[in-house]
Amino acid sequence: MSTPAPSPASPAPHADLAAQLPALREQYAALQARGLALDLTRGKPSAQQLDLAEPMLALPGEGVHTDATGVDVRNYGGLDGLPQLRQIFAELLDVPVAQLLALGNASLTLMHDAMAYAHLWGVPGSPLPWGREEKVRFICPVPGYDRHFSVCEAFGVEMVTVPMTADGPDAEAVAALVADDPTIKGLWVVPTYANPDGAVVSEAVARRLVSMPTAAPDFRIFWDNAYALHHLTANETKTANVLDLAAEAGNPDRPIMFASTSKISFAGAGVAFLAASPANVGWYKKHLAVQSIGPDKVNQLRHALFFGSAEGVREHMRKHREILAPKFAAVSRVLTERLGDLGIATWTEPQGGYFVSLDVVPGTASRVVELAASAGIALTPAGATFPYGRDPRDANIRLAPSMPPLAEVEEAMQAVATCVLLAAAER
Amino acid sequence: MSTPAPSPASPAPHADLAAQLPALREQYAALQARGLALDLTRGKPSAQQLDLAEPMLALPGEGVHTDATGVDVRNYGGLDGLPQLRQIFAELLDVPVAQLLALGNASLTLMHDAMAYAHLWGVPGSPLPWGREEKVRFICPVPGYDRHFSVCEAFGVEMVTVPMTADGPDAEAVAALVADDPTIKGLWVVPTYANPDGAVVSEAVARRLVSMPTAAPDFRIFWDNAYALHHLTANETKTANVLDLAAEAGNPDRPIMFASTSKISFAGAGVAFLAASPANVGWYKKHLAVQSIGPDKVNQLRHALFFGSAEGVREHMRKHREILAPKFAAVSRVLTERLGDLGIATWTEPQGGYFVSLDVVPGTASRVVELAASAGIALTPAGATFPYGRDPRDANIRLAPSMPPLAEVEEAMQAVATCVLLAAAER
C-alpha cells in the first residue's frame, strides 16, 4: 500500500535525526507559537463539497409530493424505501433492486441494528441468538474503522485482528481463523477505498472470503461499502460483486452490504442502504417492521429528483473528486518532501475514500498526536484504527484531509511532518 | 368514556333486532352491491392535512444551512438534535430542553430502541440486562396500541392487561400488579387522547403511577405522548407533567416520554422526541452514540423554520383540528342515529387524537370486521387493540376516520353501522 516516493528535498538522512533534535525543537516551538487551530480528525466533507448538493435544500419543492408510482411520500408506509431511489442505487452498487433497501440517514445505524437483531434473535442459520452464545468474536482487519470497533465493544463481541493488504483483508489469515472456530461469527470489510488505508478488495480476495469454509453456520461479512463511489482519480474502480460471488459459492447469506449518501449528498441528512440475499433482506425487514413504519420518503424523493439517475450520481461524485483530489495530493507532497527518504514513515496514496494511513516510527504515534495537539493540530487519537484503541506497535495515524480548506491541509501537514520528525528524533 | 347519546332516529328497539334479520340482510346485500372501497384502518393523516405543511417541501431553501448557533446542519454531528427545535418542543411538551432529545423520523423507533437497549444492557438501576432475566413482563392497558404490543412480542416480553378508564390506565390495578412482582418491568401509557379510546391521564392517575411502590428496581413507564397536541376541540388539554411528578415522588427515572411530529408535519418525514430524567437521557445517549452520529439536522431545521415557535405549532394544530373535527362528528352522528338507543354498542367521543373506540355485542367484533371487509370497508382487525390480537370479549373495534374525505367517512360509517346491526341480529 505505502509508496513513499524518494524526495530530493528531504531535510536530512535518517542517521542524522538525533543530531537534529535541537533544530527540530526550535522548529516545533516556532510552530506552537503560531497558535494554529486545524483539524484532521474526522472524515467529514467540507462546506465546499456540501455546497454541491445545495439545490437539494429546496427540493422536492411545493406541490411535489408523489413518487414515480403515485405514492404520497408525505404519509406513512413503504418499509423498503422509495422504488425510484432504490433503482438508482441498485445500479450503482451493482445489486438487484429487490435486494436493496433504502432506509434512514446512517449506514452506521443499519450495521448496529443488524448486530442488534443478530444478538437478540440470531440471523438466518443461527443455532442461537448471538446474545445467548458463550462468546461471539468478529474479525477486524487493521488498521480499520473505529466505529466498527465501537459496535463490537458495545455488544461484547471480542475482536480478533488480521492485517490489511493492498487487496483488502489478508484472506488466508481470515480463512485460517474461521475454519475451526465457531465463535467467530463475522468479519468487517470496507471493500472500496478502506478506512483508513484505501485498499480495494480484489475479486480474488472477495471470492475467497465468500467461499472459505466457516465453522460457524451463521457467519456474516459486514461489507461496509461506504466509499463505493468516492473515487479520487479518473479510474472509477468497481468493487467485486460480493452478492453474486457469494451466491455462486453457495453462501448467498454470508455478506450484508451497507452504503449511504452521507458523503455524496449531506452527511447526516442522506440515505442509507442495505443489500443482501433475499433471506437476509427478509430477516432484516421482519425485525425492522417492529421498529419502524418506514423511512423518510420525502428525503428519498429529494435525492431521486436531485440525482435523476445513476449517471447523475457519478457526475456529482466527479465534482467531489475535483475538490478532494488536490487535498490528498497536498498530503502526499508534503509527506514526500519532508519525510520522503528518511525511512521513518510510510503512508498510503489512496485512489479514493477519505483517509491517508500514516505509519511512523513504532512507539511514537501517540507522541506525534500529542505534539500535534499542543501545536493546535487535532489528529485522530493514536490507536483509534485498532480495536480497543490499542495499536500494539503505536505506529499508525489516520489523516483525514477532506474537511479543511486546501491551504489549511498543507499547513496542517507541514506541522504533522515536524511532529513526526521530532518524535522520531526524541527516540 | 363511552357516551352513546339516545337518538330518536334509531331504526328499532333492541328486542326486535332478530325480527329485522331479513331486512338487515337485504340492506347488507345492497351495501355489497355498491362495490365500495373505503378504509378506516390506520391513523394516517389525510392529504388535506398533509397539504398544511406543504411549504416545508421547499425548506430550508438554497443557502439556508446553518442553525441559530451557526452550526452547518448539512454535516455530521449533534447527537441531541437541533437546539432551536428542541427549544420549541420542550415548551410544547413541558419538559426541560436539556432533557429532550430531537432524533429521527419515528417515535416508534425510539420506543423500540429503548426496549432493545434495556434488553441488551439494562436501564439505570437494572440488576441485569432485561434479556438476561428469566421473565420480563409489561402492563398493557386495554384497549391499546397494536405497535406497542408488537414491540413486546418481538422481545418476548409477556403482556399483562389492565383496563383503561376515562382517566387513563386503572391505576389501582397497575399498583396492585407491580407491588410484589419484580418481573413486571414496565407499563405502556398513551397519556393524551389514548389510542384507541381517547382517554386523558388525570393528574391523580399520573401521580399514582409515578409514586406507587414497584418490586422491580428498574420499572419504567413508556409514556407515549403521541397525541399531546392533537386536540379536536377548543379545550387544548395539557397532560400531567409526568417528569416533574416522578421527580417529586422520588422516582425521577421511572417515566420515559416519547413524541413526534408525524401527525403534525409529515407522517414518516417528521421528527421524533425523547424526554426523560438526566440519568435516562444519559443512558439513552450512551447507547445511541454507538448507533448514530446524529439525526437529520436539515429536517430539524426545516421544522424549526416552518413552525418558528411553540405557538406556531399550536396554530398549525388548530388547522388540523378544522379538518379532523367534522370527521369525528360524522362518526358520532352516524353511530348515534343508527345505533343510539339499541343498547348493542357503545363508543367513545374523543376530544383529541385519531381514533374512536367502538364496542359492539360481545362475540361479534370479528364478524363485523368480516362483514365490512366483504362490503369493501377495511377496518382494523378485531382484537388488534389487545395483546396477541386476542380480545377476550371479541367486542372492540378501532375506527380511524382521519384519512378518508368527510363524505367517505360518513359512507363508511353507515356501512359499519349496518354491519354492527347485522352481526348483532345474527346472534
Side-chain angles (χ1 to χ4, degrees):
Chain A
M1 286 310 303
S2 56
T3 50
S7 161
S10 58
H14 187 185
D16 294 348
L17 256 191
Q20 290 202 25
L21 190 52
L24 284 166
R25 285 207 166 117
E26 261 178 57
Q27 207 176 326
Y28 178 72
L31 178 66
Q32 275 188 309
R34 294 180 57 202
L36 297 175
L38 303 171
D39 191 328
L40 293 176
T41 55
R42 291 224 78 92
K44 293 167 92 164
S46 64
Q48 200 187 350
Q49 289 174 268
L50 296 167
D51 286 346
L52 296 173
E54 192 75 6
M56 284 185 70
L57 295 178
L59 289 177
E62 285 198 53
V64 183
H65 53 245
T66 49
D67 76 355
T69 66
V71 166
D72 190 332
V73 295
R74 304 170 303 177
N75 221 325
Y76 287 115
L79 198 61
D80 295 4
L82 213 67
Q84 73 195 91
L85 186 68
R86 291 164 59 216
Q87 190 67 54
I88 292 173
F89 278 84
E91 181 179 335
L92 291 166
L93 297 169
D94 207 7
V95 296
V97 68
Q99 291 172 231
L100 179 71
L101 304 177
L103 300 171
N105 78 324
S107 56
L108 177 63
T109 302
L110 310 190
M111 294 186 269
H112 172 282
D113 288 0
M115 188 71 97
Y117 299 165
H119 273 71
L120 290 161
W121 303 295
V123 300
S126 288
L128 280 177
W130 292 1
R132 299 207 179 276
E133 298 275 4
E134 288 273 314
K135 181 184 280 197
V136 171
R137 308 205 290 168
F138 256 62
I139 299 177
C140 300
V142 288
Y145 178 33
D146 54 353
R147 289 189 185 270
H148 291 166
F149 308 149
S150 307
V151 169
C152 282
E153 217 170 332
F155 285 87
V157 170
E158 208 177 289
M159 290 176 267
V160 187
T161 62
V162 299
M164 281 296 283
T165 77
D167 296 326
D170 180 334
E172 292 315 313
V174 172
L177 282 166
V178 299
D180 303 312
D181 185 346
T183 71
I184 299 189
K185 294 288 193 187
L187 164 70
W188 289 102
V189 177
V190 181
T192 320
Y193 309 131
N195 175 353
D197 73 355
V200 176
V201 169
S202 68
E203 178 153 333
V205 165
R207 202 179 287 277
R208 182 81 172 109
L209 294 176
V210 297
S211 57
M212 66 192 177
T214 65
D218 53 352
F219 182 82
R220 287 294 180 278
I221 301 175
F222 280 35
W223 189 263
D224 180 3
N225 212 350
Y227 308 101
L229 309 169
H230 304 58
H231 314 290
L232 286 168
T233 77
N235 173 22
E236 301 186 350
T237 300
K238 206 163 172 183
T239 326
N241 186 323
V242 73
L243 298 191
D244 279 359
L245 292 176
E248 279 166 28
N251 296 312
D253 300 337
R254 188 172 291 181
I256 305 179
M257 186 193 295
F258 305 93
S260 83
T261 70
S262 295
K263 295 181 186 85
I264 296 175
S265 56
F266 295 134
V271 178
F273 300 93
L274 181 150
S277 68
N280 280 336
V281 168
W283 164 79
Y284 195 88
K285 279 177 60 179
K286 175 186 159 187
H287 298 301
L288 181 65
V290 180
Q291 188 179 20
S292 170
I293 300 176
D296 181 342
K297 293 190 298 298
V298 174
N299 200 34
Q300 299 195 353
L301 179 61
R302 187 176 289 124
H303 280 72
L305 293 175
F306 180 66
F307 292 116
S309 66
E311 186 52 26
V313 177
R314 288 189 204 102
E315 272 301 329
H316 191 78
M317 293 312 290
R318 287 174 202 130
K319 297 177 195 161
H320 277 286
R321 175 185 142 205
E322 282 173 31
I323 298 169
L324 283 171
K327 296 183 182 181
F328 280 83
V331 172
S332 170
R333 193 177 57 251
V334 174
L335 289 172
T336 303
E337 284 172 10
R338 299 283 306 278
L339 310 175
D341 59 359
L342 297 179
I344 59 164
T346 58
W347 56 91
T348 55
E349 304 274 0
Q351 307 297 294
Y354 264 65
F355 302 103
V356 172
S357 181
L358 170 66
D359 276 326
V360 297
V361 173
T364 69
S366 39
R367 177 64 179 152
V368 170
V369 172
E370 181 187 43
L371 286 167
S374 297
I377 318 294
L379 296 180
T380 304
T385 54
F386 284 75
Y388 314 107
R390 289 194 298 266
D391 173 0
R393 296 173 61 240
D394 188 24
N396 187 252
I397 296 171
R398 186 184 79 167
L399 302 172
S402 58
M403 180 85 171
L406 179 57
E408 288 187 16
V409 171
E410 295 222 30
E411 192 159 34
M413 286 311 303
Q414 291 289 354
V416 168
T418 299
C419 296
V420 171
L421 284 164
L422 177 54
E426 286 174 347
R427 298 289 276 204
Chain B
M1 283 313 301
S2 58
T3 51
S7 160
S10 58
H14 188 183
D16 294 349
L17 257 189
Q20 292 202 21
L21 190 55
L24 284 166
R25 286 207 167 117
E26 258 177 58
Q27 207 175 327
Y28 178 72
L31 178 67
Q32 276 187 307
R34 294 180 56 200
L36 297 175
L38 304 172
D39 192 327
L40 294 176
T41 56
R42 291 223 77 94
K44 293 167 90 165
S46 64
Q48 200 188 350
Q49 289 175 268
L50 296 166
D51 286 346
L52 296 173
E54 192 75 6
M56 286 184 69
L57 295 178
L59 290 177
E62 284 199 54
V64 183
H65 53 245
T66 50
D67 76 355
T69 67
V71 166
D72 190 332
V73 295
R74 303 170 303 176
N75 221 325
Y76 287 115
L79 197 60
D80 296 3
L82 213 68
Q84 72 197 90
L85 187 67
R86 291 164 59 216
Q87 191 68 54
I88 292 172
F89 278 85
E91 182 180 334
L92 291 166
L93 297 169
D94 207 7
V95 297
V97 67
Q99 291 170 231
L100 180 73
L101 305 176
L103 300 172
N105 77 325
S107 56
L108 176 64
T109 303
L110 310 190
M111 294 185 268
H112 173 281
D113 287 1
M115 187 70 97
Y117 298 166
H119 272 74
L120 290 161
W121 302 296
V123 299
S126 287
L128 280 176
W130 293 1
R132 298 205 178 279
E133 298 275 4
E134 287 273 316
K135 181 185 281 196
V136 171
R137 307 206 289 168
F138 256 60
I139 299 176
C140 300
V142 288
Y145 178 33
D146 54 352
R147 289 188 186 271
H148 292 165
F149 308 149
S150 307
V151 169
C152 282
E153 216 171 333
F155 285 88
V157 171
E158 208 177 287
M159 291 176 267
V160 186
T161 61
V162 297
M164 282 296 282
T165 76
D167 296 325
D170 180 335
E172 291 314 313
V174 172
L177 282 166
V178 299
D180 304 311
D181 185 346
T183 70
I184 298 189
K185 294 289 193 185
L187 164 70
W188 290 102
V189 177
V190 181
T192 321
Y193 309 130
N195 175 351
D197 72 356
V200 176
V201 169
S202 68
E203 178 152 332
V205 165
R207 201 180 288 278
R208 183 80 173 112
L209 294 176
V210 297
S211 58
M212 66 192 177
T214 65
D218 52 352
F219 181 82
R220 288 293 180 279
I221 301 175
F222 279 36
W223 189 263
D224 180 4
N225 212 350
Y227 307 102
L229 309 169
H230 303 58
H231 315 290
L232 286 168
T233 76
N235 172 24
E236 301 187 349
T237 300
K238 207 164 170 182
T239 326
N241 186 322
V242 72
L243 299 191
D244 280 359
L245 292 177
E248 279 166 29
N251 297 312
D253 300 337
R254 189 173 291 180
I256 305 179
M257 186 194 295
F258 304 92
S260 84
T261 71
S262 295
K263 294 181 187 86
I264 297 175
S265 56
F266 295 134
V271 177
F273 301 93
L274 181 150
S277 68
N280 279 337
V281 168
W283 164 79
Y284 196 88
K285 279 176 61 179
K286 176 185 159 190
H287 298 301
L288 181 66
V290 179
Q291 187 180 19
S292 169
I293 301 176
D296 181 342
K297 293 189 299 298
V298 173
N299 200 34
Q300 299 195 354
L301 179 61
R302 186 175 291 124
H303 280 71
L305 293 175
F306 180 67
F307 292 116
S309 67
E311 187 51 28
V313 177
R314 289 189 203 101
E315 272 302 329
H316 191 78
M317 293 312 291
R318 287 173 202 131
K319 297 177 194 161
H320 278 286
R321 176 185 140 205
E322 282 173 31
I323 298 168
L324 284 171
K327 297 184 182 182
F328 281 82
V331 172
S332 171
R333 191 177 56 251
V334 173
L335 290 173
T336 303
E337 285 173 8
R338 300 281 309 276
L339 311 176
D341 59 359
L342 297 180
I344 60 164
T346 58
W347 57 90
T348 55
E349 303 275 1
Q351 306 298 295
Y354 264 63
F355 302 103
V356 171
S357 180
L358 170 67
D359 275 326
V360 297
V361 172
T364 69
S366 39
R367 177 63 179 153
V368 170
V369 172
E370 183 187 43
L371 286 168
S374 296
I377 319 292
L379 296 180
T380 305
T385 54
F386 285 75
Y388 314 107
R390 289 196 297 266
D391 173 0
R393 296 172 63 242
D394 188 24
N396 188 250
I397 296 171
R398 187 184 80 167
L399 302 173
S402 59
M403 181 84 171
L406 180 57
E408 288 187 15
V409 171
E410 295 222 28
E411 192 159 35
M413 286 310 303
Q414 291 289 357
V416 169
T418 299
C419 298
V420 171
L421 285 164
L422 177 54
E426 286 174 346
R427 299 288 275 203

